[in-house]
Amino acid sequence: MASEQFESTVDQLMDGLTADLERLAAIPSIAFPGFPPEPLEEAHALLVRLLREAGVEKVERLDLPDTAPAVYAEIPPPDPGAPTVLLYGHYDVQPAGDETLWKSPPFEPTSIEGGLRARGIADDKSNVIAHLGMLRVFGGRPPVGIKMIIEGQEEYGSPFDDYPPTDPGRFACDAMVIADLGNLRPGTPTLTTGLRGAAEVMVEVRTLAEPRHSGEFGGAAPDALLVLLKALATLHDEHGDVAVDGLRREEWNGTGYTEDEFRSLAGVEDGLPLIGTGGLGERLWSGPAITVIGLDAPAVEGAASAVVPYARAKLNLRFHPQQDPKEARDLLVEHLRAQRPFGIGLTVTPGDTGPGYEAATGGPAYEAARSALKRAWGKDADYVATGGSIPLVNGLAKAAPGAEVLLFGAQDGMCNLHAPNERVLFSELRNTVVAMAAFVTEYAEDFRRRGGRS
């Protein structure tokens, strides 16, 4: 199809795609402990039905231990000379959080100017619907083979991350589109080329058998909270840069947010500086970050006048896409174990790790994706990275080591994913469907010109 044909076809499909997105977003498919499993089953069943209605004959339920069911679908290549493209998304969503912060009920999709608001409507149900839209463009018979996996427990984490390398035949492909992210900002076509890795570390200190009167004992009795705070203060220098030796940091040469955009997105209070030095891309994507995400200490409300006997903190480390996860985590562990505030050692427990990922960008699938994004948005695509992690990407890359990995989708940097009032814009959804249709067409044509896989 010519570009105009793709756009005309997608425009005719948009009402139906929007209606299906509303149906899917109305299902509170939360896979976190304590939430009912029935909505997960409901979302799974809806997607199976939508895929079959789109002409996909092979649709399977994939059950793994301790995780919500995944949808697996497959369309064979139209001929032996066509490539196979794997499509990924997930149907589970984050919990809504404090619903008083929402302008409308989080699981009642609500119209906004140019789009819809609901929990999970951007992350990741819009991208799942974009996959579906591409199949509808071709009546269920695209010019490439398709393998589709729609996961049901991505937000909480699941054993599925490690599954693909154990079943490589199921995931064998020539290229994959990981649609769990999107554009830097609305109207800016974006390819994500790097994902920071993640690790967690627990640090704790016990100094007394129990609390002791601060007047009687304070000044000599070791305060566990002071010990912990002094240790945590060594993790950053006076500028706010991470001060743990060996964590990789490099200059970022791709596109990034302006400081004003970042301040708005982060909700930084007026008049406050940002922490750290160097470009924002370097601080957010190609360098490390250490965040104290939890602290066990007496609450201010009702606090007793007593020396604190025990304190604990949970740390989240984000690190360079190419740094080994265990190496990065252990560097933080070693740094903390070397600290002895007031002569007191810490108990440091290493936690889970997730690898980062850096994509190769010189292959034919990337060339087809760049061309397709330009056709959809009318401008060249930007390259960005993300500080968030998608551990499954590495599992898929191991299962299909020769496949090019593309990361793009219908979200945008201003969509409030994981936050109150999450939204998606119809323009981003529409253009993503156009781009995906153009991508599989151009990739198939180039694949044949090159004589197939080498």
Side-chain angles (χ1 to χ4, degrees):
M1 291 186 188
S3 177
E4 297 79 9
Q5 290 176 286
F6 282 136
E7 295 190 10
S8 174
T9 301
V10 173
D11 288 339
Q12 293 172 28
L13 292 170
M14 278 299 294
D15 285 347
L17 292 172
T18 300
D20 289 333
L21 177 58
E22 290 190 52
R23 292 167 64 195
L24 187 60
I27 302 172
S29 48
I30 303 167
F32 282 61
F35 289 87
E38 289 80 9
L40 296 167
E41 294 287 347
E42 183 182 358
H44 183 280
L46 174 58
L47 289 170
V48 169
R49 186 162 63 252
L50 291 175
L51 285 166
R52 286 182 173 150
E53 289 173 356
V56 184
E57 295 178 2
K58 184 175 181 179
V59 184
E60 299 177 353
R61 177 188 176 105
L62 186 56
D63 283 302
L64 298 177
D66 303 317
T67 188
V71 180
Y72 177 80
E74 190 171 323
I75 300 172
D79 59 73
T84 295
V85 175
L86 184 145
L87 308 176
Y88 170 83
H90 63 87
Y91 66 81
D92 65 302
V93 303
Q94 283 280 323
D98 184 353
E99 295 192 18
T100 65
L101 300 177
W102 285 76
K103 297 177 181 178
S104 55
F107 292 103
E108 293 181 13
T110 301
S111 295
I112 61 169
E113 184 177 357
L116 289 169
R117 177 173 58 236
R119 167 55 86 226
I121 202 157
D123 181 20
D124 189 45
K125 291 177 177 178
S126 62
N127 284 325
V128 172
I129 294 298
H131 287 325
L132 185 70
M134 183 274 289
L135 297 180
R136 288 180 180 174
V137 168
F138 298 102
R141 295 294 178 267
V144 298
I146 292 291
K147 294 183 177 181
M148 184 183 296
I149 187 75
I150 307 174
E151 191 183 357
Q153 195 171 300
E154 190 274 345
E155 296 290 5
Y156 180 70
S158 82
F160 189 80
D161 290 347
D162 301 317
Y163 173 67
T166 71
D167 191 5
R170 183 185 294 273
F171 300 97
C173 61
D174 300 290
M176 58 184 78
V177 177
I178 310 297
D180 192 13
L181 25 66
N183 293 334
L184 184 68
R185 59 183 70 86
T188 301
T190 303
L191 283 163
T192 298
T193 61
L195 305 169
R196 274 199 300 199
E200 290 187 345
V201 170
M202 196 80 73
V203 55
E204 56 189 318
V205 57
R206 182 175 294 279
T207 56
L208 306 173
E210 57 188 11
R212 285 289 185 264
H213 192 292
S214 58
E216 296 286 339
F217 297 96
D223 184 320
L225 185 53
L226 285 178
V227 171
L228 179 61
L229 293 176
K230 194 169 180 64
L232 296 179
T234 69
L235 297 176
H236 298 83
D237 65 18
E238 66 272 21
H239 305 294
D241 291 321
V242 170
V244 176
D245 289 339
L247 290 176
R248 187 168 170 179
R249 175 171 172 158
E250 295 176 357
E251 184 178 353
W252 174 253
N253 295 316
T255 308
Y257 293 116
T258 67
E259 184 168 321
D260 286 344
E261 283 177 328
F262 181 78
R263 285 178 173 278
S264 176
L265 288 169
V268 178
E269 296 289 342
D270 291 343
L272 292 184
L274 303 182
I275 67 170
T277 61
L280 278 174
E282 188 175 332
R283 282 179 271 175
L284 298 172
W285 300 331
S286 59
I290 300 173
T291 306
V292 181
I293 60 173
L295 186 66
D296 288 340
V300 172
E301 189 71 28
S305 297
V307 180
V308 175
Y310 173 79
R312 180 174 66 160
K314 187 174 186 178
L315 308 181
N316 179 262
L317 167 66
R318 303 287 172 151
F319 48 87
H320 188 283
Q322 291 186 329
Q323 187 154 26
D324 178 78
K326 185 176 183 299
E327 175 192 50
R329 181 196 62 189
D330 290 351
L331 287 168
L332 175 56
V333 168
E334 291 164 8
H335 175 97
L336 288 166
R337 286 177 176 167
Q339 307 305 311
R340 295 188 63 82
F342 313 117
I344 297 167
L346 309 166
T347 299
V348 185
T349 305
D352 292 338
T353 65
Y357 184 79
E358 188 162 81
T361 60
Y366 258 87
E367 287 298 323
R370 279 192 287 266
S371 175
L373 290 168
K374 186 173 183 178
R375 286 175 68 174
W377 272 271
K379 61 179 73 172
D380 289 331
D382 287 339
Y383 282 178
V384 303
T386 178
S389 302
I390 309 177
L392 179 68
V393 171
N394 287 274
L396 289 171
K398 289 177 182 176
E404 293 182 69
V405 181
L406 310 169
L407 297 101
F408 66 91
Q411 302 170 24
D412 66 81
M414 285 70 176
C415 70
N416 284 350
L417 75 166
H418 293 207
N421 303 306
E422 181 178 350
R423 63 100 179 106
V424 71
L425 298 178
F426 296 137
S427 59
E428 302 303 288
L429 175 59
R430 181 258 192 198
N431 288 349
T432 300
V433 178
V434 172
M436 291 186 65
F439 165 68
V440 296
T441 299
E442 295 193 26
Y443 183 49
E445 291 172 354
D446 181 74
F447 195 84
R448 289 188 175 90
R449 283 196 301 269
R450 292 184 294 105
R453 59 189 62 86
S454 56

